[in-house]
């Protein structure tokens, strides 16, 4: 977990862990080591991974890691965005029912739900890098095989496996955040969503040119290019120094920290590398989440993530439904077999709503550092609720529809990133510092 709170938080209530980084300047000298001397030394001749990362600051190492993590995030975004395009295409080409159309999307999320704990345990046991490497290979393979699916049953099976592999992608954010200095962490994690937005925009543009001529199978195949690139880049990913320390591999952790210092042009810390105070020797105990001490926090965090995912993917998948042009299918069948194809203007409007994520990201950066995590998430949920509530007022006005979807998607994209910043901070406070 990420070292984000001070030593004197012990015994605080759950409501007090707002703006954990606000106390950055009042921390123990062992936590934050200012680079005021050529070779900084901690008072007791020991230092932690968090202290070292803060001392080395943000530099070349973090820039390279940002690109690697961003590539993973971009590939994930393309695989999720394609769901809003694939279902209408299958509805028209294979005459699947609306229930089957919904099932095409459901199996992906079902795979993610089933695999999330599996990938978390695997990352804790074998390391973030190993899990991401396996994930990238599986995700590329199953996504590519989806483009050769001969029937609807095969599509469901392969897309379900894609969802299973996608469940590991959040581990890339965990790995990324563990190498970020405290002062830059929130801003960098939120900015990482730029790669997600970039991937979504690229997928829509790809569909604009591929779908009218080559069809959805080619779109599925070409969408795996970023996955292949990330799989090739995995050998250059650094392993988590916190994982190495927690698993007793101190020498490997020191080697990683030396690389950070070298890349960032900083001197290596003098002293003995130790674990964070309160870091548990027994990791990955899922039952602790629902213990009496942590049950309330776990349920509240789960509620936030359920609401966030429901709102984000709801507006993404709903957008194509609202933009579809309806025309009768040439073949026989009931009303539910109605053929719905997206036109070029539909794809352009979809692109405009996707671009909303960029202003949503930068607005979140501005707000989250000034008003705190909880207030930011609450305010964004409120604005999203209002924008979606008035969406139905003029569904026939295309400009109005696109504008409201633009606002809704920009806001909910910001909620997603604020949740990514808030969750590890709360988890570290509750599970390691209490």
């Amino acid at each position: 977990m990420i070292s984000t709170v001070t030593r004197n938080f012990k015994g605080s209530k759950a409501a007090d862990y707002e703006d954990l980084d606000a106390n950055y300047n009042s921390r123990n000298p062992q936590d934050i080591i200012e680079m005021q001397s050529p070779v900084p030394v901690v008072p007791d001749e020991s230092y932690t991974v968090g202290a070292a990362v803060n001392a080395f600051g943000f530099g070349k190492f973090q820039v390279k890691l940002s690109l690697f993590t961003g590539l993973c995030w971009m590939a994930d975004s393309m695989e999720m965005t394609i769901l809003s395009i694939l279902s209408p295409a299958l509805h028209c080409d294979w005459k699947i029912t609306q229930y089957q159309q919904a099932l095409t999307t459901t199996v992906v999320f079902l795979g993610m739900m089933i695999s999330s704990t599996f990938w978390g345990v695997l990352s804790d046991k074998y390391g973030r890098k190993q899990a991401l490497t396996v994930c990238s290979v599986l995700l590329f393979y199953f996504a590519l095989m989806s483009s050769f699916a001969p029937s609807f049953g095969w599509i469901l099976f392969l897309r379900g496996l894609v969802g299973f592999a996608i469940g590991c992608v959040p581990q890339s954010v965990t790995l990324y955040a563990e190498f970020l200095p405290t002062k830059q962490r929130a801003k960098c994690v939120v900015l990482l969503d730029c790669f997600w937005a970039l991937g979504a925009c690229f997928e829509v543009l790809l569909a604009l040119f591929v779908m009218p001529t080559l069809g959805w199978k080619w779109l599925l195949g070409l969408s795996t290019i970023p996955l292949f690139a990330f799989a090739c880049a995995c050998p250059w990913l650094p392993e988590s120094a916190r994982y190495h320390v927690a698993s007793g591999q101190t020498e490997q952790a020191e080697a990683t920290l030396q690389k950070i210092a070298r890349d960032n042009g900083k001197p290596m810390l003098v002293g003995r590398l130790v674990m964070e105070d309160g870091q548990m020797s027994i990791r990955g105990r899922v039952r602790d989440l629902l213990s009496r001490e942590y049950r309330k926090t776990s349920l509240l965090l789960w509620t936030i993530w359920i609401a966030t995912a429901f709102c984000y993917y709801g507006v993404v998948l709903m957008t194509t439904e609202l933009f579809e042009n309806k025309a009768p299918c040439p073949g026989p069948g009931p009303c539910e077999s109605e053929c719905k194809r997206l036109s070029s203007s539909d794809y352009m409007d979809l692109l405009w709503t996707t671009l909303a994520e960029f202003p949503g990201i930068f607005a979140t950066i501005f707000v989250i550092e000034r008003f705190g995590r909880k207030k930011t998430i609450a305010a964004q949920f409120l604005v999203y609720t209002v924008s979606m509530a008035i969406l139905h007022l003029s569904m026939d006005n295309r400009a109005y529809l696109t504008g409201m979807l633009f606002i809704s998607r920009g806001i909910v994209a910001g909620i997603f990133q604020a949740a990514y910043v808030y969750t590890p901070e709360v988890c570290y406070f509750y599970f390691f510092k209490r």
Side-chain angles (χ1 to χ4, degrees):
M1 282 295 175
I2 307 168
S3 181
T4 55
V5 296
T6 59
R7 307 298 184 198
N8 59 356
F9 268 114
K10 187 175 181 180
S12 299
K13 295 180 180 179
D16 296 333
Y17 47 64
E18 173 66 89
D19 293 335
L20 302 181
D21 292 338
N23 297 287
Y24 178 89
N25 294 323
S26 63
R27 300 186 182 204
N28 189 301
Q30 182 175 335
D31 295 324
I32 306 299
I33 302 176
E34 300 292 343
M35 302 299 292
Q36 296 175 344
S37 61
V39 183
V41 183
V42 292
D44 60 354
E45 298 183 353
S46 66
Y47 63 92
T48 64
V49 173
V53 170
N54 282 318
F56 300 147
F58 188 94
K60 182 180 177 182
F61 179 89
Q62 282 78 13
V63 171
K64 292 190 295 184
L65 187 58
S66 297
L67 296 176
F68 286 136
T69 309
L71 183 60
C72 178
W73 217 227
M74 179 179 176
D76 181 23
S77 173
M78 293 179 66
E79 289 302 316
M80 299 306 297
T81 303
I82 203 173
L83 295 176
S84 62
I85 302 170
L86 177 63
S87 295
L90 292 176
H91 194 186
C92 195
D93 290 352
W94 285 357
K95 311 300 185 294
I96 63 175
T97 65
Q98 292 181 347
Y99 171 80
Q100 291 174 316
Q101 186 179 3
L103 193 59
T104 307
T105 300
T106 303
V107 293
V108 178
F109 292 103
L110 184 62
M112 293 169 61
M113 182 183 68
I114 294 174
S115 69
S116 58
T117 302
F118 167 79
W119 289 114
V121 173
L122 195 70
S123 298
D124 284 343
K125 187 173 183 179
Y126 298 104
R128 318 268 189 246
K129 178 180 178 179
Q130 299 300 324
L132 285 170
T133 301
V134 175
C135 156
S136 63
V137 174
L138 293 178
L139 185 53
F140 168 72
Y141 177 76
F142 293 132
L144 183 62
M145 288 299 100
S146 297
S147 64
F148 298 99
S151 64
F152 179 71
W154 274 105
I155 278 287
L156 289 182
F157 177 71
L158 291 171
R159 297 313 292 180
L161 292 177
V162 166
F164 185 89
I166 288 178
C168 183
V169 172
Q171 295 296 327
S172 65
V173 181
T174 302
L175 177 65
Y176 179 60
E178 289 177 345
F179 286 111
L180 291 174
T182 305
K183 283 185 175 180
Q184 285 82 26
R185 185 182 303 123
K187 185 181 298 183
C188 290
V189 172
V190 175
L191 280 173
L192 191 64
D193 195 44
C194 288
F195 289 95
W196 177 281
L198 186 63
C201 292
F202 183 72
E203 184 64 36
V204 175
L205 285 174
L206 188 63
L208 175 62
F209 293 103
V210 172
M211 288 296 291
T213 55
L214 300 176
W216 59 268
K217 290 191 174 184
W218 276 93
L219 181 63
L220 284 174
L222 293 174
S223 297
T224 62
I225 293 176
L227 287 172
F228 177 75
F230 178 70
C232 293
C234 278
W236 285 273
L237 278 176
E239 182 54 272
S240 168
R242 296 179 188 273
Y243 161 76
H244 278 148
V245 171
S247 58
Q249 305 176 57
T250 307
E251 293 182 358
Q252 290 88 331
E254 289 177 341
T256 301
L257 294 177
Q258 289 173 357
K259 178 175 175 56
I260 300 175
R262 184 169 58 253
D263 288 351
N264 291 1
K266 302 289 185 178
M268 184 61 186
L269 301 186
V270 174
R272 178 173 53 91
L273 180 60
V274 297
M275 290 194 300
E276 307 280 352
D277 288 351
Q279 189 165 358
M280 298 189 304
S281 58
I282 301 176
R283 296 165 290 127
R285 298 186 302 185
V286 179
R287 65 177 181 271
D288 288 340
L289 296 175
L290 293 177
S291 64
R292 182 176 181 181
E293 185 178 5
Y294 306 132
R295 187 182 299 120
K296 181 179 179 181
T297 301
S298 298
L299 292 176
L300 289 173
L301 287 175
W302 290 347
T303 301
I304 290 174
W305 277 102
I306 290 173
T308 301
F310 181 86
C311 293
Y312 179 83
Y313 292 112
V315 71
V316 170
L317 297 173
M318 180 176 61
T319 299
T320 51
E321 291 291 331
L322 296 177
F323 285 166
E324 283 172 349
N325 290 327
K326 299 183 179 181
C329 273
C335 182
E336 65 178 4
S337 297
E338 185 180 6
C339 184
K340 305 175 182 179
R341 294 189 182 274
L342 295 174
S343 64
S344 297
S345 61
D346 294 330
Y347 283 117
M348 290 304 300
D349 288 338
L350 181 59
L351 179 62
W352 277 113
T353 60
T354 305
L355 288 171
E357 296 198 14
F358 289 103
I361 295 167
F362 295 113
T364 301
I365 293 175
F366 176 82
V367 174
I368 199 171
E369 294 293 354
R370 288 163 176 77
F371 300 100
R373 280 66 160 146
K374 293 196 296 185
K375 292 180 180 178
T376 298
I377 294 175
Q380 288 177 322
F381 268 126
L382 179 61
V383 175
Y384 174 83
T385 302
V386 173
S387 63
M388 293 301 293
I390 63 177
L391 182 64
H392 71 283
L393 294 180
S394 183
M395 298 291 288
D396 296 331
N397 188 325
R398 191 56 173 263
Y400 172 85
L401 177 63
T402 304
M404 295 309 301
L405 288 172
F406 183 94
I407 295 174
S408 300
R409 183 152 181 180
I411 291 295
V412 75
I415 299 175
F416 233 128
Q417 291 311 108
Y420 265 112
V421 174
Y422 185 59
T423 302
E425 293 179 347
V426 172
C427 289
Y428 186 82
F429 167 77
Y430 242 87
F431 292 101
F432 290 93
K433 289 298 183 182
R434 283 180 64 89

